[in-house]
Amino acid sequence: MRRNTYKEDEILEEPFDIKHLLRASGYIKKHAGKMALALIFSALGGAAALVSPMIVQKALDVAIPKGDETLLYKLVIAAALFYVCSVIFTTLRSRIMVNVSQDIIYQIRRDLFAHLQKLPFQYYDDRPHGKILVRVVNYVNSVSDMLSNGLINVVLEILNLIFIVIFMFAVDVKLSFVVLAGVPFLMIFMFWIKNKQRKAWQAVSNKNSNLNAYLQENIVGARITQIFAREDENAEIFKVLSSNCQKAWMKAVSYSTMVWPGIDTISVLVRAAIFMFALIVFSKGNESLGVIVAISSYASRFWQPIMNLGNIFNNFINNMAYLERIFEAMDEPVTVDDAPDAVEMKKMVGEVTFDHVSFSYEKGKEILHDVSFSVKPGESIALVGPTGAGKSTIVSLISRFYNVDSGRILIDGQDISKVTLHSLRSQMGIMLQDSFIFSGTIGDNIRYGKLDATEADIRKASRAVCAHDFIKVMPKGYNTEVKERGALLSQGQKQLLSFARTLLADPAILVLDEATSSIDVQTEKALQRGLDTMLEGRTSFIIAHRLSTVTKCDKIMYIDNGGITECGSHDELMARKGAYYHLFTAQMEGMEAV
């Protein structure tokens, strides 16, 4: 997907590519039978509606002049029956196509969402989330209408046009040619207006996409906006984006409002020509009133299919661009996926081995270089070092959020690139610094990684991480509803809930990435007692800048310059008086100074 920001328009004017339409046909084929039935109903409904002008002609030319009341009643009944048939067939067609359209929306959106779930973290870091949402919601809605109603309407409008011409010529050949004489003028007008109209509505889509991207970003960052008093500046940016939307909309509407007056003007001129030729040129005033009224009625209907085909053409061009964007997102490579011959990870014991591992996020900028180490089952490993040295990268690679450039990572002797992601990650507990809380109850959030957990299991995990005390005083305890991203909970409370969620999953390997950074010292001491119990028998990797929290770890690895520069217990590293010693003493002196 293109990596543009809310400041940049997406390029939606795409050349026609048949491969997108062929690929989309897979969603259409599943509903081919229903769509064929809808087309039949549409054709029958259209044909029934076109009989009415011929009935009116019969009434004006025969029944009324002759005073034949019986025939007139029959014609009225026939007109009513044809009208009812038209309504019934049109209604049936509409109901069928609503179901087809919604099924197509569901199928495309399901496939797109399923693919988005597999994409790596970096995909979401590089793109405005609002523009991803536009693809899943707006573009899918537009495309589904093209794939269902659009294709049927093309056939239907062509058939409708053919039927009108047939019925029209059946009434009067010469006057029919008068109607057709207006087609060149209509085509010139439609070509001019539709080209401008299409580009105008594409601009509307671009500006709405930009606005959506900025709005989503600001909703997520609302607190930061207020912290830095950026309300006025952000309001000005939003004002500009909204103004762009307004201008684009007004321009598009100005072209749209020109369509009907233009067509109506041509239609009026054609009807005037009908009367002129019928009454003066062709038969010197002897043409019957019924014929004139019937041809005039068909002339009025004649322009509608042509205009509809123009609208369908514009929508088709726009939606092909939307379809390309949808497939572009679906084709975004899943860089981390199960290997074709991947096997299930056996129940983990917890032995972890890095075998000459090198890794880089961007080509040419290596983060880890030829890193090797081994961790025994049940050992606790602290990763310390300067920011950006690669501590979080190491634990991300253990969870296989990224693929290594070279080397291997083994768990219990199994290469993790050869096992299924689900069987690997389901046996690991990962606690990140950013504690994400979903909307729902507190209990549901804790149970998120283990849906079969009982209430007793949830309470046990909560007590172990010191979360039970604040949960029990909530309005409904574990059934208290929390809002999106844990609004109304403190950062410390969110971290404790994330701890409970992680520990409830009963992982064999536990990763704590700055997990206690937002917890006060008193709670941390109580939490540490619970963690000591929960960490027992589990391999754990702990990233912490507060070094006082990792002094009891079995091993401390100092990460810097793309590798492990020091490794040992706290006492061993302090005795060496190397990088760890200087970092630890500097922190302690800083705390004493405070």
Side-chain angles (χ1 to χ4, degrees):
M1 197 176 93
R2 287 160 174 75
R3 293 165 171 76
N4 61 341
T5 67
Y6 68 82
K7 299 178 183 178
E8 303 170 70
D9 290 342
E10 294 185 276
I11 300 173
L12 292 175
E13 186 82 30
E14 290 289 330
F16 177 76
D17 193 337
I18 190 64
K19 71 178 183 181
H20 298 315
L21 194 58
L22 292 175
R23 185 172 176 180
S25 66
Y27 294 99
I28 302 173
K29 290 178 182 177
K30 300 175 183 178
H31 308 283
K34 292 181 179 179
M35 293 175 72
L37 184 61
L39 182 60
I40 292 171
F41 285 149
S42 296
L44 291 175
L50 290 173
V51 176
S52 296
M54 298 186 74
I55 294 175
V56 171
Q57 177 203 353
K58 191 76 171 178
L60 292 174
D61 288 347
V62 180
I64 294 176
K66 292 183 178 181
D68 191 340
E69 294 184 5
T70 302
L71 177 60
L72 186 62
Y73 289 144
K74 289 180 180 180
L75 292 174
V76 170
I77 293 172
L81 289 175
F82 278 111
Y83 174 78
V84 170
C85 288
S86 176
V87 170
I88 292 174
F89 288 134
T90 303
T91 302
L92 290 174
R93 181 258 188 187
S94 297
R95 290 186 176 181
I96 291 173
M97 292 315 300
V98 165
N99 289 331
V100 170
S101 178
Q102 289 303 308
D103 283 345
I104 290 176
I105 287 177
Y106 167 76
Q107 289 159 6
I108 296 177
R109 194 169 284 157
R110 177 198 61 193
D111 292 347
L112 181 55
F113 183 78
H115 187 73
L116 290 173
Q117 297 293 291
K118 298 178 181 179
L119 293 178
F121 295 164
Q122 194 167 359
Y123 175 84
Y124 297 96
D125 294 336
D126 291 346
R127 294 160 175 83
H129 293 178
K131 293 197 175 186
I132 299 175
L133 292 175
V134 165
R135 283 161 169 74
V136 180
V137 181
N138 300 46
Y139 289 178
V140 171
N141 286 344
S142 296
V143 164
S144 71
D145 189 59
M146 178 195 75
L147 296 180
S148 55
N149 286 309
L151 295 178
I152 282 186
N153 285 338
V154 169
V155 178
L156 179 62
E157 296 301 344
I158 292 174
L159 289 176
N160 196 22
L161 196 60
I162 292 172
F163 286 157
I164 290 173
V165 172
I166 292 173
F167 276 87
M168 192 163 56
F169 271 88
V171 173
D172 191 282
V173 175
K174 291 183 291 186
L175 290 180
S176 297
F177 279 113
V178 173
V179 176
L180 295 179
V183 172
F185 300 98
L186 178 65
M187 296 303 293
I188 293 171
F189 172 74
M190 292 291 287
F191 180 81
W192 176 80
I193 194 69
K194 288 302 177 182
N195 188 44
K196 292 183 176 294
Q197 195 178 14
R198 182 180 74 252
K199 291 180 178 179
W201 284 112
Q202 285 175 343
V204 170
S205 180
N206 279 331
K207 302 308 178 185
N208 283 334
S209 179
N210 294 344
L211 184 67
N212 193 52
Y214 187 72
L215 182 60
Q216 192 274 341
E217 180 181 284
N218 268 262
I219 290 174
V220 174
R223 293 186 178 186
I224 304 301
T225 295
Q226 295 186 25
I227 288 171
F228 287 95
R230 275 269 308 191
E231 294 91 341
D232 292 341
E233 290 82 354
N234 289 1
E236 188 61 31
I237 294 173
F238 188 81
K239 177 182 176 182
V240 172
L241 294 173
S242 297
S243 177
N244 290 340
C245 286
Q246 182 186 36
K247 291 176 182 176
W249 175 267
M250 294 304 296
K251 184 175 181 180
V253 169
S254 68
Y255 285 122
S256 295
T257 54
M258 291 174 64
V259 174
W260 269 113
I263 293 176
D264 195 50
T265 299
I266 296 173
S267 178
V268 169
L269 292 175
V270 168
R271 286 201 296 272
I274 290 172
F275 282 96
M276 183 183 70
F277 277 84
L279 300 177
I280 302 174
V281 179
F282 290 152
S283 53
K284 299 180 180 180
N286 294 326
E287 195 74 57
S288 72
L289 178 62
V291 169
I292 296 174
V293 171
I295 292 293
S296 180
S297 177
Y298 285 127
S300 298
R301 298 174 186 227
F302 180 76
W303 310 113
Q304 187 64 48
I306 297 176
M307 188 186 72
N308 289 344
L309 286 171
N311 289 333
I312 292 170
F313 172 76
N314 277 353
N315 290 333
F316 186 81
I317 296 298
N318 286 347
N319 283 306
M320 284 303 293
Y322 298 156
L323 194 63
E324 192 267 346
R325 293 293 175 271
I326 292 170
F327 288 148
E328 183 182 58
M330 285 186 180
D331 292 338
E332 190 72 27
V334 180
T335 55
V336 180
D337 202 0
D338 293 340
D341 57 347
V343 298
E344 293 289 312
M345 183 81 191
K346 297 177 182 177
K347 184 174 177 58
M348 288 184 185
V349 177
E351 181 183 10
V352 178
T353 302
F354 270 52
D355 181 16
H356 300 285
V357 171
S358 295
F359 174 78
S360 58
Y361 292 103
E362 297 180 31
K363 191 174 182 180
K365 297 181 179 180
E366 204 168 51
I367 303 297
L368 299 177
H369 176 70
D370 198 29
V371 174
S372 296
F373 65 83
S374 293
V375 177
K376 296 178 182 178
E379 280 190 323
S380 57
I381 309 299
L383 303 176
V384 302
T387 301
K391 303 183 294 297
S392 295
T393 300
I394 288 176
V395 296
S396 294
L397 292 177
I398 295 172
S399 308
R400 205 180 159 222
F401 291 133
Y402 305 92
N403 292 320
V404 299
D405 295 343
S406 62
R408 298 184 304 162
I409 299 175
L410 309 173
I411 295 181
D412 300 338
Q414 282 187 284
D415 187 339
I416 64 172
S417 67
K418 303 295 178 60
V419 301
T420 63
L421 291 173
H422 183 268
S423 66
L424 171 68
R425 294 174 184 170
S426 63
Q427 298 187 65
M428 300 184 67
I430 304 169
M431 173 70 187
L432 302 175
Q433 185 177 2
D434 181 15
S435 304
F436 192 93
I437 302 298
F438 297 90
S439 57
T441 68
I442 289 177
D444 288 340
N445 268 280
I446 297 174
R447 191 186 285 113
Y448 189 82
K450 190 177 182 181
L451 298 178
D452 59 347
T454 64
E455 290 296 322
D457 294 332
I458 293 174
R459 291 173 184 271
K460 180 180 178 181
S462 300
R463 286 191 177 94
V465 300
C466 304
H468 179 73
D469 290 340
F470 88 81
I471 295 174
K472 69 181 181 181
V473 298
M474 300 289 279
K476 295 183 180 180
Y478 287 86
N479 291 320
T480 300
E481 292 280 341
V482 291
K483 298 183 179 180
E484 187 177 3
R485 301 185 70 87
L488 306 181
L489 293 175
S490 71
Q491 189 62 32
Q493 288 173 330
K494 287 191 283 187
Q495 282 197 313
L496 291 176
L497 290 181
S498 296
F499 256 118
R501 178 169 61 198
T502 301
L503 296 178
L504 180 64
D506 193 24
I509 297 176
L510 187 61
V511 174
L512 306 179
D513 188 352
E514 284 293 326
T516 60
S517 60
S518 298
I519 299 173
D520 60 83
V521 176
Q522 184 177 0
T523 302
E524 185 179 11
K525 289 180 179 178
L527 173 61
Q528 192 63 50
R529 291 193 295 271
L531 285 178
D532 289 341
T533 301
M534 297 299 290
L535 293 177
E536 188 175 347
R538 290 187 174 89
T539 304
S540 58
F541 291 84
I542 303 171
I543 299 175
H545 287 101
R546 196 187 303 170
L547 299 184
S548 60
T549 63
V550 299
T551 56
K552 295 182 180 179
C553 288
D554 297 315
K555 287 182 183 178
I556 299 173
M557 296 180 182
Y558 192 92
I559 313 297
D560 199 8
N561 297 320
I564 302 169
T565 58
E566 291 183 342
C567 181
S569 66
H570 171 73
D571 293 338
E572 290 172 345
L573 295 181
M574 291 299 290
R576 292 180 191 176
K577 294 189 176 181
Y580 176 79
Y581 168 83
H582 292 296
L583 183 61
F584 185 83
T585 53
Q587 277 198 11
M588 292 303 104
E589 290 172 0
M591 291 177 65
E592 290 174 2
V594 175

